[in-house]
Amino acid sequence: MSKSKKILVTGGAGFIGSHTVVELNQAGYEAVIIDNFSNSEKGVIEQIEKITGIAPKIYEGDCNDIQLMQNIFDQEGLFAGVIHFAAYKAVGESVEKPLDYYHNNLNSLLILLRTMENFKVSNLVFSSSCTVYGEPDLLPVTEESPKKQAESPYGNTKAISEEILEDTVKGKNSNLKAVALRYFNPIGAHPSSLIGELPLGVPNNLVPFITQTAAGLRERLTVFGDDYNTPDGTCIRDYIHVVDLAKAHVKAFEYLENQGNDSFFDLFNVGTGKGNSVLEAIKTFEQVNGLKLNYTIGQRRSGDVEKVFAKVDKSEKLLNWKAELSLDQALKDAWGWQKKLSNIK
Ligand code: UFG
């Protein structure tokens, strides 16, 4: 068992990052976080400590700061590897501020890869997205399904990042071993309600919008279109509980450690394998939490794909990972977290 190995977690105070730090701690790893708190709060460190009994070490700063990155690698001694979450992630904002997205998401990856090379750190888990599949021709999507032209600069940063990794491992003398996890739709929160998602401003994503509407922070939810070619007319996604997703990172890390020393890059879908429509998500939310949600049917949102869900056989087989938590559980936990945030008993 790989106890007490030190892992650098960039963006470790964020939504998926913080849940992953919890799982790393619980699996016996030592997580060291770098986060600039651009989309997270410092209080999360204390909450991680409440859950796991361990307060992760945190460096406040930006992964685009090459000097800081070098100092961290210098001071911390040898990392067993890096899990790289730090990135901007709002699809709509990326259309408005493409250069911010290309700069932040790509430059930080380049700096990280250079620093890992300089310090001879090989193992990397990278956060990618099912957005690279665009509107798939065949469902469920496998890792071999074709990548489509990205719908947004954000999506393009993920597609380009995968290419950067693919090329880097082929470089002469490369010692990089990297996996990209293609996340489907992460939702929910830690069942303790101590950590969860903290959307900035009006949420873009479905589940935070649902929970904020239920809490009275938003008047009503708009379902973006019910005229799609799906059983109830609303879009279909593969919603995965963030705790399951966090566990996939621990498994991916173990997988990297179990490979030989040769550099390689591989891709994995991280979803449940099951698609649910927007209306199913709403109805499930109402049912498991005993609530009525104020919602209305509106226009389609531009850039939305009609349906996407994962084939997860490869992750099951090679990572020995499988989603275990249900949509019911995820929507209960999402509401538990919102109640905590909104002081609802
Ligand atoms: N939706 C609504 N009303 C809302 C918000 C969302 O009906 O107020 C619908 C969307 O139209 C979509 C579904 O709920 O059909 C899910 O939307 P989200 O915004 O929660 O998630 P997306 O699938 O659009 O986006 C997610 C991630 C992105 C990633 C993308 C890849 O948030 O980072 O998956 O497909 F790029």
Side-chain angles (χ1 to χ4, degrees):
M1 179 64 191
S2 33
K3 290 277 174 198
S4 284
K5 288 198 172 161
K6 207 184 259 191
I7 299 181
L8 180 65
V9 185
T10 76
F15 176 42
I16 305 170
S18 59
H19 288 81
T20 300
V21 169
V22 164
E23 296 304 320
L24 286 170
N25 282 351
Q26 289 177 340
Y29 290 95
E30 180 186 351
V32 173
I33 297 175
I34 172 171
D35 205 301
N36 65 3
F37 298 107
S38 67
N39 192 13
S40 56
E41 283 185 5
K42 292 185 182 164
V44 75
I45 305 301
E46 215 175 288
Q47 304 302 89
I48 293 172
E49 186 180 8
K50 277 189 199 153
I51 299 170
T52 65
I54 301 162
K57 184 160 178 186
I58 169 117
Y59 288 87
E60 182 173 355
D62 203 302
C63 297
N64 286 291
D65 181 344
I66 191 161
Q67 197 54 55
L68 173 65
M69 291 297 279
Q70 284 178 0
N71 291 347
I72 294 173
F73 277 70
D74 220 12
Q75 275 176 34
E76 291 297 325
L78 194 63
F79 285 117
V82 181
I83 304 183
H84 183 46
F85 293 105
Y88 292 156
K89 61 170 187 180
V91 176
E93 183 185 62
S94 79
V95 178
E96 286 161 26
K97 300 177 181 172
L99 282 183
D100 288 4
Y101 273 68
Y102 286 116
H103 179 79
N104 188 57
N105 293 6
L106 298 180
N107 196 44
S108 60
L109 176 63
L110 296 177
I111 287 174
L112 174 66
L113 290 174
R114 188 59 96 190
T115 314
M116 289 175 69
E117 183 181 70
N118 289 343
F119 286 83
K120 301 198 169 26
V121 174
S122 309
N123 295 329
L124 175 67
V125 180
F126 176 74
S127 302
S128 191
S129 167
C130 70
T131 192
V132 299
Y133 297 118
E135 183 76 64
D137 301 322
L138 287 173
L139 286 165
V141 283
T142 74
E143 290 80 357
E144 278 73 49
S145 298
K147 278 163 102 172
K148 295 276 176 74
Q149 181 60 45
E151 290 280 353
S152 68
Y154 159 76
N156 210 18
T157 67
K158 294 300 178 189
I160 295 170
S161 295
E162 289 186 353
E163 287 171 12
I164 290 172
L165 293 173
E166 200 174 346
D167 287 344
T168 305
V169 299
K170 291 183 202 145
K172 200 174 164 205
N173 302 327
S174 170
N175 64 353
L176 179 66
K177 299 193 292 169
V179 297
L181 302 183
R182 288 176 169 170
Y183 310 156
F184 283 68
N185 285 56
I187 60 163
H190 197 267
S192 62
S193 299
L194 291 169
I195 54 173
E197 198 168 359
L198 289 166
L200 282 179
V202 182
N204 294 307
N205 296 121
L206 179 65
V207 173
F209 209 107
I210 290 178
T211 61
Q212 289 197 6
T213 306
L217 297 169
R218 312 275 155 215
E219 197 191 332
R220 87 170 68 80
L221 169 80
T222 303
V223 174
F224 296 140
D226 70 348
D227 56 351
Y228 286 97
N229 183 23
T230 60
D232 65 23
T234 65
C235 293
I236 290 179
R237 296 288 183 277
D238 185 335
Y239 295 98
I240 174 158
H241 196 301
V242 65
V243 170
D244 274 332
L245 177 55
K247 286 181 175 164
H249 293 78
V250 179
K251 293 290 191 181
F253 202 80
E254 285 168 0
Y255 173 77
L256 285 172
E257 291 205 302
N258 290 334
Q259 306 305 306
N261 290 329
D262 292 348
S263 67
F264 75 94
F265 172 61
D266 210 350
L267 294 157
F268 294 93
N269 282 346
V270 187
T272 64
K274 191 169 180 293
N276 285 103
S277 72
V278 177
L279 286 178
E280 279 170 345
I282 293 171
K283 289 191 176 126
T284 306
F285 179 83
E286 290 183 324
Q287 198 189 352
V288 298
N289 296 309
L291 292 165
K292 271 270 154 239
L293 200 71
N294 187 17
Y295 69 89
T296 173
I297 308 293
Q299 298 293 311
R300 290 183 177 199
R301 177 172 72 177
S302 87
D304 270 341
V305 306
E306 185 167 87
K307 35 184 184 277
V308 61
F309 51 94
K311 188 155 174 76
V312 287
D313 295 25
K314 185 176 173 187
S315 301
E316 276 186 48
K317 195 164 154 223
L318 296 182
L319 301 184
N320 190 26
W321 170 89
K322 189 178 174 185
E324 284 165 351
L325 302 169
S326 62
L327 181 65
D328 288 24
Q329 186 64 44
L331 292 171
K332 258 188 225 165
D333 291 337
W335 180 233
W337 169 242
Q338 183 67 56
K339 282 199 289 188
K340 174 86 179 297
L341 286 178
S342 299
N343 270 319
I344 297 169
K345 297 286 168 232

